[in-house]
Amino acid sequence: LNMRDAAIIVAACIVIGAGAVLPSPSASSITVVDGQSTTIALSHVPFGDAVTVDAVPRTPSLRTFFVYDDPRYVRGRGMSDRFANGLPIHLKVALAYRGLNATVALVDADGLRAVLGRATPGVCVIVPGGILPSTVRRDGDDELRSFIVRGGTIIWAGAPFDLFYSTQSQGDAPPRLSQADPSSWPRLYARTGPLDARDVLASPPLRYGTTASPLDRATGLTFDATTFHVDARRLMAISGATLAYVDASGDSSVSQLPLGKGRVVIFGDAFPDELDAARQIAQVVASGAWFEPRRLRVVATLASQTSQKSIDIPNDSRVFAFGEPPFYFPFGY
């Protein structure tokens, strides 16, 4: 039994233990009868809790996820063996709680390059440390960009988007970090773009958003860090959206942006741990915020004492219902 296998077993035990303290779906649930007129039926919802009901544009299927981590390279903020090995397991569970049966796998630098070179429909790559290996990102060579513009989906955290890459460690020499040429993304890193190429990784000033974005109620996200700049107004000017909070400087904590045929979701710093990462990512996916957040809207809020309600929903939409953070129980999908 090697250390990586042992870490996976430990992470699985953590999932089992976490299941003992999370609310049970059988104890609190929502039944959604989906149609043009949707009926929401609540059961055993804790008194005082509220349930948010969203109308979600019907999105393409997103059921295959690859989490990148490779200890041979600079890993980025918040990354560790425990985080890397635990996130795929926790994310699969968090998606299943929300009614989504997904495949979630951990890939190293070689695996990442293979994934980015494949056909992209339905595939999401998660880069929780925010630093790519030099095998896919070096000056004049950006395989991530090709993946996105062909229709791939990226969920990014821990560092400025696609701005830093790492060479592999060699013998006793540690891996080396370099800043990439931001000209791969002229709309993002130009003087009038939403991202700032001057952001640094070494002890960056920590910042947090306190003002809820217009989509905060519909996404239910609680992530509030804005350490790395994503200017909310400039983001919206290029068809992006703020999904959670905005800070005093106008930066977004969670952002969505269509690029080419693909989609990018950017978290403004590292996740605090793998459990929170799984919850936040699963909520972005299940709510449809990864695809067309500007069309996502709250159509009802139900109190625990309201057992049933009929709601008219727009054509070509589905319903996603969720309880209050941080666990978002109960769910209806």
Side-chain angles (χ1 to χ4, degrees), residues 120 147-153 258-263 291:
T120 54
F147 173 81
I148 295 169
V149 299
R150 292 198 316 269
T153 301
L259 294 171
K261 296 179 181 179
R263 300 291 189 277
F291 189 70

Side-chain angles (χ1 to χ4, degrees), residues 75-98:
R75 281 175 138 178
R77 288 166 59 80
M79 294 303 296
S80 64
D81 286 345
R82 189 194 73 180
F83 188 111
N85 292 315
L87 179 55
I89 300 169
H90 291 300
L91 179 57
K92 187 174 178 65
V93 170
L95 289 166
Y97 276 138
R98 291 159 176 79

Side-chain angles (χ1 to χ4, degrees), residues 25-282:
S26 63
S28 57
S29 62
I30 298 175
T31 301
V32 176
V33 182
D34 203 352
Q36 194 154 1
S37 180
T38 295
T39 298
I40 310 294
L42 307 185
S43 175
H44 300 93
V45 178
F47 184 79
D49 283 1
V51 171
T52 299
V53 184
D54 288 347
V56 182
R58 295 198 179 274
T59 63
S61 176
L62 192 64
R63 300 294 175 92
T64 304
F65 297 83
F66 295 97
V67 178
Y68 166 67
D69 177 70
D70 194 325
R72 298 173 298 175
Y73 296 80
V74 176
R75 281 175 138 178
R77 288 166 59 80
M79 294 303 296
S80 64
D81 286 345
R82 189 194 73 180
F83 188 111
N85 292 315
L87 179 55
I89 300 169
H90 291 300
L91 179 57
K92 187 174 178 65
V93 170
L95 289 166
Y97 276 138
R98 291 159 176 79
L100 298 176
N101 182 23
T103 299
V104 187
L106 185 66
V107 293
D108 62 10
D110 298 327
L112 177 64
R113 187 170 191 183
V115 169
L116 296 181
R118 294 177 192 168
T120 54
V123 175
C124 176
V125 173
I126 302 169
V127 188
I131 299 173
L132 292 175
S134 58
T135 51
V136 302
R137 182 62 157 108
R138 50 172 75 91
D139 291 338
D141 180 14
D142 190 346
E143 295 185 28
L144 184 82
R145 186 181 191 281
S146 299
F147 173 81
I148 295 169
V149 299
R150 292 198 316 269
T153 301
I154 295 291
I155 295 179
W156 190 276
F161 174 68
D162 199 21
L163 190 60
F164 291 91
Y165 67 95
S166 167
T167 57
Q168 184 178 340
S169 59
Q170 299 291 336
D172 294 333
R176 184 171 57 85
L177 183 69
S178 299
Q179 182 166 334
D181 179 359
S183 63
S184 286
W185 301 106
R187 287 203 307 162
L188 303 186
Y189 282 107
R191 184 177 58 84
T192 57
L195 307 187
D196 193 340
R198 297 170 297 179
D199 277 340
V200 297
L201 293 184
S203 302
L206 300 181
R207 301 182 299 125
Y208 298 92
T210 56
T211 302
S213 80
L215 289 171
D216 171 67
R217 283 186 61 222
T219 65
L221 296 170
T222 59
F223 189 92
D224 60 355
T226 58
T227 299
F228 301 111
H229 295 83
V230 182
D231 187 291
R233 289 186 180 180
R234 294 176 179 178
L235 175 74
M236 291 185 284
I238 56 174
S239 301
T242 61
L243 304 183
Y245 297 95
V246 177
D247 69 15
S249 299
D251 285 328
S252 168
S253 65
V254 188
S255 311
Q256 185 271 2
L257 184 65
L259 294 171
K261 296 179 181 179
R263 300 291 189 277
V264 173
V265 176
I266 302 173
F267 287 82
D269 198 349
F271 294 109
D273 55 57
E274 64 274 20
L275 284 167
D276 187 69
R279 287 194 293 264
Q280 304 287 340
I281 293 170

